[in-house]
Amino acid sequence: MAATKETKREQTELSEAEIAVHWKEEGYYEPSPRFIGQANLTDPDLFEKFSLDHFPECYRAFGDLLSWDKYWTTTLDTSKAPFYRWFVGGMLNASYNCIDRHLAQHKNKAAIIFQGEPESEPPVAITYQELYARVNEVAALLRDFAGLKAGDRVTIHLPMTPELPITMLACARLGVIHSVVFGGFSGEASGQRIADSASRVLIGMDGYWRSGKMVDHKPAADIAYETAKREGKPPEKVLIWKRYKDRYSSQAKLVEGRDYLIDDLLPKYRGERVAPVSLPADHPLFLMYTSGTTGKPKGIQHNLGGYLAYVTAMSKYYQDIHPTDVYWCMADIGWITGHSFIVYGPLALAATSVIYEGVPTFPDPGRTWRIAEHLDVNIFHTSPTAIRQLRKLGPDEPKKYHYRFKHMTTVGEPIEPEAWRWYYHTVGKDEAVIVDTWWQTETGGFLCSTTPALHRMKPGSAGPGVLGIHPVILDENGNEVPPGSNRAGYICIRNPWPGLMATIWGDPDRYLKTYFQKYNKNPKSTDWRDWPYLAGDGALLAPDGYFRILGRIDDVINVAGHRLGTKELESACLTVPEIAEAAVVPVADDLKGRVPEIYVALKPGITASDEIKQKVVQAIETQIGKIARPKTVWIVPDMPKTRSGKIMRRVLASISNSMPTGDTTTLANPEVVEQIRVSVQGARPAVTKEGPADIRAFGQTE
Ligand code: WT7
């Protein structure tokens, strides 16, 4: 009893809500008259139409951006809240909405422009007609060769080439649920996701270019297959695309009766047309795995009608996409940003969407701006990580190129006002409007952002809730934290919206617990007002109604704008036989925002060595991917622990970030903290700083 109380008090004391925030208010920037003159959303009255008084019927306007085979009867069904159903009774197809419906007016317009990493390869434009033909042929192959039908799952582990959106849209045409795994993830990570989704087919590629090297990608498919098989869920077939159609670019052999080269099979399906399968609005469109606080990654399930309507509206009103625009989102399609804002949103609006295969600064820091100039990109979308990297390597490069952006996005993590200003003045040439869009894999599309033609920009702040989204900051007890109080709390959304995930694949309980349990008072309620959505981020609300996002309040590390689960990384460490215990914490990094740092304790009788550290790094890279590579691996005599035996990650996080460790007297082994501090901080600056709020809050929700 006493222990519970103590833990409870400790949590409350350390909660984000209790941490005073020292934040300098930034000045505003105005959107240019030129931008306003052409913008899609210029009517401030629209916000009144999307007030909670008009919820949920206001979202009809989003549904009406799509073409329906059958119009819906109920805009929102809350009878199983918080498992919501949008546009109930409606029937549609995503591939039809992103391709077929544009053919009459835009068949000769580029849908996708692919730029390979080698600069010697000219960009390839795929018109809407060409996309139509290719998607149909691949759909025919998936249906007739692989036997796939609506509701089946397929795991797609592809790099940034046109085959990725083509495969996704072919799945969508059939109602096959795609689960795209980020190409940079390892074969093991892909295999885990195949098993969790029970995918019938894995789709991979022979190789692709990255930093001037041809990465051999087929071995990842072999590992993925073996991993899924070990989990008892091997896929039936492995289908492999070729990066170059006239040769096979991998060292790995094809396994007979299991592996097939798609490009060799396709001629059989030449000219085939597959009628888009008319599906209910709440049919699952895709799964996207993301990291949470505990256990394995969660398969976030997005349903067809709500998701597509939401990303189309966000692309139109917040990305300001018109069919005449050349739009370049530099994210990877393997993350939600790419799904929503490279593939589904832009294509639903008949835009031209640019896909770049490689590293933005390869072979030199001017590459990004050369692509923008050559293709005459006018809408640009990237992350703070990329912005910092581009700025570091080539602060004056944008000035050398004659592109002209009207609109730019930053997404994935909070952006430092300094980096924001470089983005605005140097990349945007003092002209492009910037939106800092705050959202998550789970939310399908944006939650907070300024409206580009209506709101002033403020560096470092995402802005108010987007059209229809009503955010609120709650403290530990569910009380509202008022604007301008300079206190942080948990940012929640009062209302559901069409882009919200439908559930977690195979784990509805986890959906309830993770996102709704904290503030729900009546689990039986079918009133959406009783189910505020908990995003898991700490945030502040300024007097002007702008939200400033501080970062995750749980054990998730945001590396280069993407969440990595600490538990997943720790499990990978424990596969090294010498390791007894592992703890992963975030450490602030100038370029990537946060990177993981690892503490390991060895099994008795084992001597510390660089070789063991190397093995840990290796384990992380093979089981998770290079994106998770730790900054440092520290071998420690023991982990700081509570009396109940829990590893105190927040203490380690403080040490890693040269922050004060706070009160450690209640620990079971306070003396070890001092030992670790001396060995780590011997190599680091002295403890001076308070540290970023997300790191201060890290590990407090255990
Ligand atoms: C987490 C979601 C959203 C697509 C890419 C990442 C952080 C995201 C912002 C922003 C501050 C941001 C949050 C969020 N985040 N955008 N504009 N400002 N923080 O998707 O992997 O699901 O991660 O990224 O912490 O919860 P994700």
Side-chain angles (χ1 to χ4, degrees):
M1 195 56 203
T4 327
K5 232 178 167 172
E6 191 181 287
T7 329
K8 190 104 203 128
R9 203 191 60 227
E10 198 173 274
Q11 276 185 10
T12 323
E13 273 171 10
L14 289 166
S15 108
E16 188 84 48
E18 302 299 316
I19 298 170
V21 179
H22 311 281
W23 175 40
K24 183 178 140 280
E25 267 289 337
E26 296 286 334
Y28 295 104
Y29 289 68
E30 303 278 345
S32 72
R34 194 179 137 102
F35 177 83
I36 297 170
Q38 58 81 64
N40 280 331
L41 205 179
T42 50
D43 176 11
D45 294 346
L46 206 52
F47 280 85
E48 163 48 29
K49 295 191 182 116
F50 277 79
S51 70
L52 285 177
D53 293 342
H54 298 119
F55 182 86
E57 294 309 321
C58 53
Y59 279 118
R60 281 181 171 273
F62 286 15
D64 285 339
L65 295 172
L66 303 180
S67 304
W68 296 80
D69 302 329
K70 190 165 159 265
Y71 206 68
W72 67 86
T73 47
T74 309
T75 304
L76 173 65
D77 173 2
T78 65
S79 62
K80 295 204 173 67
F83 297 89
Y84 301 106
R85 292 167 73 213
W86 285 92
F87 307 122
V88 184
M91 306 280 287
L92 75 165
N93 182 281
S95 151
Y96 178 86
N97 272 279
C98 292
I99 308 170
D100 306 40
R101 68 163 172 163
H102 306 316
L103 294 179
Q105 277 192 49
H106 300 297
K107 70 166 170 253
N108 277 330
K109 189 192 133 89
I112 291 168
I113 299 180
F114 170 61
Q115 174 63 63
E117 192 189 71
E119 220 160 353
S120 55
E121 289 182 19
V124 177
I126 300 174
T127 63
Y128 274 94
Q129 173 61 29
E130 173 72 2
L131 184 63
Y132 172 74
R134 290 212 209 166
V135 165
N136 271 281
E137 290 171 6
V138 175
L141 183 152
L142 294 179
R143 184 190 60 191
D144 300 342
F145 180 74
L148 294 169
K149 52 178 194 321
D152 289 343
R153 275 82 59 208
V154 162
T155 294
I156 303 176
H157 193 204
L158 290 175
M160 282 288 283
T161 61
E163 286 78 7
L164 177 46
I166 287 171
T167 309
M168 290 162 69
L169 290 164
C171 288
R173 199 162 186 89
L174 299 171
V176 168
I177 306 166
H178 58 71
S179 165
V180 177
V181 177
F182 168 54
F185 271 152
S186 65
E188 272 93 348
S190 161
Q192 293 295 342
R193 287 153 176 79
I194 295 172
D196 189 77
S197 59
S199 287
R200 290 185 57 200
V201 170
L202 165 65
I203 300 182
M205 193 172 243
D206 54 357
Y208 62 94
W209 291 102
R210 186 100 199 138
S211 290
K213 287 196 204 71
M214 188 71 171
V215 178
D216 191 348
H217 193 53
K218 167 66 166 63
D222 295 330
I223 295 169
Y225 180 88
E226 289 307 324
T227 306
K229 193 173 158 196
R230 266 202 307 282
E231 302 278 321
K233 296 267 169 39
E236 296 160 28
K237 285 191 169 70
V238 178
L239 304 180
I240 302 291
W241 284 101
K242 288 196 285 193
R243 171 66 175 82
Y244 294 100
K245 305 307 169 194
D246 60 350
R247 58 184 183 273
Y248 178 60
S249 307
S250 170
Q251 300 296 317
K253 290 205 176 62
L254 296 173
V255 176
E256 218 185 298
R258 186 196 81 180
D259 300 352
Y260 302 89
L261 291 175
I262 298 179
D263 297 285
D264 293 358
L265 297 170
L266 268 179
K268 245 186 93 179
Y269 300 93
R270 187 165 296 143
E272 287 239 14
R273 299 293 178 257
V274 175
V277 177
S278 197
L279 300 157
D282 63 348
H283 183 84
L285 177 62
F286 66 85
L287 307 179
M288 159 91 10
Y289 282 85
T290 190
S291 296
T293 41
T294 52
K296 53 180 193 183
K298 304 175 282 214
I300 302 301
Q301 177 185 323
H302 281 290
N303 285 358
L304 173 55
Y307 171 83
L308 196 61
Y310 198 69
V311 298
T312 305
M314 290 300 116
S315 298
K316 178 163 181 164
Y317 298 130
Y318 286 87
Q319 297 292 288
D320 199 55
I321 295 179
H322 303 61
T324 42
D325 291 320
V326 181
Y327 174 86
W328 183 16
C329 170
M330 234 172 39
D332 195 289
I333 294 174
W335 307 111
I336 191 70
T337 303
H339 275 48
S340 301
F341 298 111
I342 298 177
V343 182
Y344 287 112
L347 297 183
L349 294 173
T352 296
S353 189
V354 175
I355 293 180
Y356 173 55
E357 177 179 33
V359 173
T361 50
F362 182 86
D364 60 70
R367 183 68 192 279
T368 297
W369 320 121
R370 278 204 294 288
I371 294 172
E373 178 186 84
H374 187 81
L375 301 178
D376 199 18
V377 170
N378 69 339
I379 307 180
F380 184 69
H381 187 146
T382 193
S383 62
T385 275
I387 295 167
R388 288 189 292 259
Q389 183 78 13
L390 288 160
R391 178 183 183 216
K392 183 182 173 208
L393 299 180
D396 296 318
E397 286 299 308
K399 296 184 183 138
K400 301 183 189 158
Y401 299 93
H402 299 279
Y403 62 81
R404 188 172 190 180
F405 295 155
K406 70 166 183 179
H407 180 293
M408 306 193 299
T409 301
T410 165
V411 64
E413 55 179 313
I415 184 165
E416 304 77 3
E418 265 318 292
W420 193 99
R421 279 188 276 271
W422 181 77
Y423 199 32
Y424 183 79
H425 295 299
T426 307
V427 178
K429 305 186 176 184
D430 291 308
E431 183 182 7
V433 71
I434 295 181
V435 290
D436 179 347
T437 60
W438 170 72
W439 59 295
Q440 311 174 295
T441 304
E442 294 87 336
T443 71
F446 307 144
L447 294 176
C448 285
S449 169
T450 49
T451 306
L454 286 177
H455 299 136
R456 297 180 295 175
M457 302 162 249
K458 189 165 75 176
S461 283
V466 299
L467 209 54
I469 296 289
H470 301 275
V472 58
I473 296 184
L474 300 178
D475 69 13
E476 195 60 49
N477 306 315
N479 300 316
E480 215 174 307
V481 178
S485 63
N486 217 25
R487 281 196 311 138
Y490 300 94
I491 184 164
C492 296
I493 312 298
R494 294 181 201 268
N495 58 298
W497 64 99
L500 174 65
M501 74 195 126
T503 185
I504 293 175
W505 181 257
D507 204 347
D509 246 27
R510 200 168 167 200
Y511 168 81
L512 265 176
K513 286 204 182 98
T514 312
Y515 306 102
F516 297 98
Q517 200 176 51
K518 190 175 175 80
Y519 294 119
N520 169 260
K521 293 187 192 80
N522 173 11
K524 291 213 167 63
S525 174
T526 58
D527 185 342
W528 56 266
R529 288 170 196 82
D530 290 328
W531 296 96
Y533 170 80
L534 173 74
D537 282 341
L540 286 150
L541 178 54
D544 58 9
Y546 282 29
F547 289 89
R548 181 179 177 233
I549 309 298
L550 301 171
R552 307 289 307 162
I553 35 124
D554 56 21
D555 283 1
V556 174
I557 304 181
N558 187 326
V559 183
H562 296 286
R563 286 185 281 169
L564 296 173
T566 43
K567 295 278 180 346
E568 251 192 301
L569 302 187
E570 288 164 3
S571 312
C573 297
L574 292 187
T575 63
V576 176
E578 291 87 349
I579 307 297
E581 280 180 314
V584 177
V585 302
V587 54
D589 180 89
D590 284 349
L591 285 180
K592 295 181 180 163
R594 305 285 175 265
V595 288
E597 185 150 277
I598 297 185
Y599 289 84
V600 290
L602 304 180
K603 286 184 183 155
I606 307 242
T607 326
S609 69
D610 282 346
E611 197 196 327
I612 295 177
K613 292 184 185 175
Q614 235 3 79
K615 280 195 195 170
V616 171
V617 175
Q618 195 56 48
I620 296 277
E621 286 194 7
T622 49
Q623 289 168 55
I624 314 289
K626 285 213 167 66
I627 188 173
R629 185 203 295 258
K631 185 161 194 143
T632 323
V633 178
W634 300 104
I635 298 181
V636 296
D638 193 9
M639 298 289 174
K641 285 185 188 138
T642 61
R643 283 181 204 140
S644 59
K646 277 192 184 152
I647 300 178
M648 292 300 283
R649 287 188 190 74
R650 68 169 177 85
V651 172
L652 296 171
S654 313
I655 294 176
S656 278
N657 292 278
S658 309
M659 288 152 54
T661 46
D663 182 12
T664 53
T665 50
T666 56
L667 295 188
N669 53 354
E671 69 293 344
V672 80
V673 174
E674 193 48 25
Q675 282 181 41
I676 298 174
R677 204 185 59 73
V678 169
S679 59
V680 173
Q681 293 182 347
R684 297 270 161 91
V687 175
T688 48
K689 42 182 185 175
E690 261 204 323
D694 63 309
I695 293 181
R696 273 180 282 151
F698 180 83
Q700 50 105 2
T701 49
E702 278 171 270

